[in-house]
Amino acid sequence: MTSDSFMLLFDIIILCYGLYLVYSGFQMKKTHQPSNLIINQADVIGARDAKSFCEAMFKPTVIFGAVSALYGVVGFVNDRYLDQWWLNMAGIVLFLVMCFWFLRVTKKNREKYMK
């Protein structure tokens, strides 16, 4: 597998991950059960307020999922057709900033509602 095909595969995986996060966010809002992608299900047992956790995590999950999906699409188009190094770097930086933001929000809400 060449590095180009590996990057295309990586872009598709990130796209699918983002779409699944958006889906998980809507499922959490509907069922009031935290997603396995966000929190370990063992932590849900004995949680103080799983419903409020789901409500608090709905917007951050959908936003991070949408940004991840967008990163996957932009990365795929760039790797396949454009080949612009600056677009690749900008996408990586944005994705990493959003990852840290999402982890921080998840940790804060986990401590507030689950412990």
Side-chain angles (χ1 to χ4, degrees):
M1 182 179 280
T2 66
S3 64
D4 290 339
S5 58
F6 176 75
M7 290 307 295
L8 291 174
L9 178 63
F10 182 72
D11 294 333
I12 292 169
I13 290 170
I14 293 293
L15 169 64
C16 293
Y17 173 71
L19 293 175
Y20 190 67
L21 269 176
V22 171
Y23 170 78
S24 293
F26 282 102
Q27 281 299 106
M28 282 193 315
K29 185 176 183 176
K30 180 180 172 184
T31 65
H32 303 294
Q33 291 295 318
S35 172
N36 292 349
L37 287 175
I38 298 173
I39 191 166
N40 187 347
Q41 290 303 304
D43 292 340
V44 176
I45 298 169
R48 283 189 288 170
D49 195 357
K51 180 180 178 181
S52 295
F53 176 81
C54 292
E55 290 171 0
M57 287 303 297
F58 170 69
K59 283 184 183 179
T61 304
V62 170
I63 290 169
F64 181 59
V67 169
S68 297
L70 180 64
Y71 172 65
V73 169
V74 169
F76 182 84
V77 170
N78 186 46
D79 291 339
R80 184 79 170 112
Y81 302 107
L82 303 176
D83 198 28
Q84 299 293 319
W85 68 269
W86 60 269
L87 187 57
N88 215 11
M89 286 297 130
I92 290 170
V93 168
L94 176 63
F95 181 73
L96 290 176
V97 166
M98 291 303 294
C99 281
F100 287 120
W101 168 78
F102 185 69
L103 289 172
R104 187 174 50 91
V105 169
T106 302
K107 182 180 178 184
K108 180 187 81 165
N109 286 322
R110 183 174 174 240
E111 290 171 353
K112 185 175 182 180
Y113 298 112
M114 301 307 270
K115 290 185 178 183

